[in-house]
Amino acid sequence: MQPFTYTKVADTRAAVAAGQRGGRYIAGGTTLVDLMRETVERPAGLVDIAALPLRGIRVTPGGGLRIGALVTMAEAAADPRVRGTYPVISEALELSASAQLRNMATIGGNIMQRTRCTYFRDVTAACNKRAPGSGCAALHGINRSHAILGTSSHCMATHPSDVAVAFAALEATVRLLGPDGERTVAFRDFLLTPGTTPEREHAIRPGELITAIEVPALPRPVRSGYLKVRDRQSYEFALTSAAVALHIQGGVVRAAKVAAGGVGTVPWKLAAVEQHLTGKAPSAQLWTDAAARAADGARPLDHNAFKVELLKRTVERQLRVVGGGQ
Ligand code: SF4
């Protein structure tokens, strides 16, 4: 590990000032410390934001939820308002990591976590994300776990977060505080596909700090849930996953929110699936036909073509679970 400075801040203004000077924010530390040990990350200074008043979950005036950036994964998963209104969020959290990690890791840190591409974490391998311009060892290497959507020839690593898939499906908003004050960014614009600059992973500006995630209110009644498919039943990242929320009233799907994980370089909103569902009567055939659109635009690599069919089946199964027709 490289030498680094450590600063603990007690208010957001001091945090932003320290971030502006180049400090890296750290809270639970469940990703960054690992990466520093492996010398993948070499920050000159850490800014400990764990004491900032960014905890707490509250209902917004519009009836949605604001989840503070420093709420832990375990706290968010257990919150009765999250469980009652957005089970897709609590299920995504409970299917993530381990109990110990969920007790430490924060919601803000979760969506900022970096890819689990093994070449990214191997400092002897070529990796455009870690060392821009060095190449991509995954392109012709072992790419079974890599993305099939949103890729470029520069990078095809998946975003590893589960709860980010739920946030993408629900069209959440990220609240940021920076040197120029507060601003909000739609979740779909927050995480960036690699393009020619895979080292740029999010829309945060220098010094900006995530203060909260806001989830909009959904029309009632609504049912939602998260399905994660992986090589083993716990402590494993998704091969595919599906976050689904359906508002069904009067025998018709009035609104559908669907996103996929484990397949995209960012959590992948399935707009074609949503469009196919909306305005139609729920049926087993509807779930099958909608899910058939889940992999539209997929570009498999040498070892991950199986994800195309697996994604469709994952989405279809979760549509059945949430929408009925099991
Ligand atoms: Fe690096 Fe992305 Fe290639 Fe993995 S897929 S080696 S993260 S450039």
Side-chain angles (χ1 to χ4, degrees):
M1 197 184 282
Q2 305 292 306
F4 59 90
T5 62
Y6 172 84
T7 308
K8 189 160 185 147
V9 290
D11 63 77
T12 51
R13 185 177 299 189
V16 168
Q20 235 185 329
R21 292 193 295 271
R24 285 287 303 275
Y25 298 129
I26 186 166
T30 54
T31 292
L32 183 55
V33 173
D34 281 355
L35 292 173
M36 288 171 67
R37 285 195 180 118
E38 292 164 0
T39 67
V40 174
E41 294 257 22
R42 302 173 185 216
L46 294 183
V47 181
D48 186 341
I49 59 170
L52 297 185
L54 301 176
R55 299 185 182 274
I57 298 173
R58 65 180 174 87
V59 178
T60 63
L65 278 187
R66 180 181 293 188
I67 305 173
L70 293 178
V71 172
T72 67
M73 293 171 69
E75 289 165 346
D79 186 275
R81 292 157 297 185
V82 175
R83 297 185 84 81
T85 314
Y86 305 96
V88 63
I89 295 176
S90 54
E91 290 174 16
L93 288 165
E94 287 174 341
L95 290 168
S96 304
S98 65
Q100 293 92 334
L101 287 168
R102 293 193 295 270
N103 283 334
M104 287 298 295
T106 63
I107 292 293
N110 183 287
I111 64 173
M112 291 292 288
Q113 67 180 295
R114 308 203 68 189
T115 183
R116 261 59 186 181
C117 172
T118 51
Y119 301 110
F120 172 74
R121 286 167 185 253
D122 174 358
V123 292
T124 67
C127 174
N128 287 322
K129 188 182 282 295
R130 175 173 31 76
S134 64
C136 171
L139 186 58
H140 300 295
I142 305 298
N143 46 42
R144 176 177 179 272
S145 66
H146 285 67
I148 56 175
L149 291 158
T151 59
S152 74
S153 59
H154 297 264
C155 181
M156 58 285 312
T158 56
H159 191 276
S161 168
D162 291 294
V163 76
V165 181
F167 290 148
L170 298 171
E171 293 157 19
T173 301
V174 183
R175 295 190 71 88
L176 298 163
L177 177 68
D180 300 323
E182 277 196 295
R183 68 181 181 116
T184 58
V185 178
F187 204 81
R188 66 172 177 277
D189 299 324
F190 183 73
L191 297 171
L192 306 178
T193 53
T196 57
T197 54
E199 72 280 9
R200 289 193 64 234
E201 297 177 338
H202 44 70
I204 286 184
R205 298 171 185 157
E208 279 189 326
L209 179 69
I210 300 173
T211 56
I213 308 294
E214 283 190 0
V215 185
L218 296 174
R220 308 290 181 89
V222 63
R223 294 190 63 199
S224 71
Y226 186 74
L227 175 64
K228 182 173 182 177
V229 178
R230 44 191 166 170
D231 282 327
R232 61 184 181 196
Q233 261 311 98
S234 72
Y235 200 40
E236 182 59 283
F237 295 94
L239 290 171
T240 59
S241 71
V244 171
L246 298 175
H247 167 49
I248 300 174
Q249 198 168 44
V252 173
V253 179
R254 305 284 178 189
K257 309 286 183 192
V258 188
V263 290
T265 50
V266 296
W268 206 253
K269 184 77 160 160
L270 298 179
V273 174
E274 294 175 340
Q275 283 164 15
H276 188 82
L277 292 167
T278 305
K280 298 193 178 77
S283 71
Q285 192 61 49
L286 179 64
W287 311 140
T288 304
D289 291 346
R293 291 157 170 78
D296 286 1
R299 294 194 306 172
L301 303 162
D302 290 344
H303 306 126
N304 67 1
F306 72 96
K307 285 192 175 187
V308 172
E309 185 61 24
L310 187 62
L311 172 61
K312 294 178 189 174
R313 295 186 188 200
T314 305
V315 172
E316 180 180 348
R317 179 167 154 186
Q318 194 58 5
L319 287 172
R320 286 178 196 272
V321 168
V322 173
Q326 278 285 59

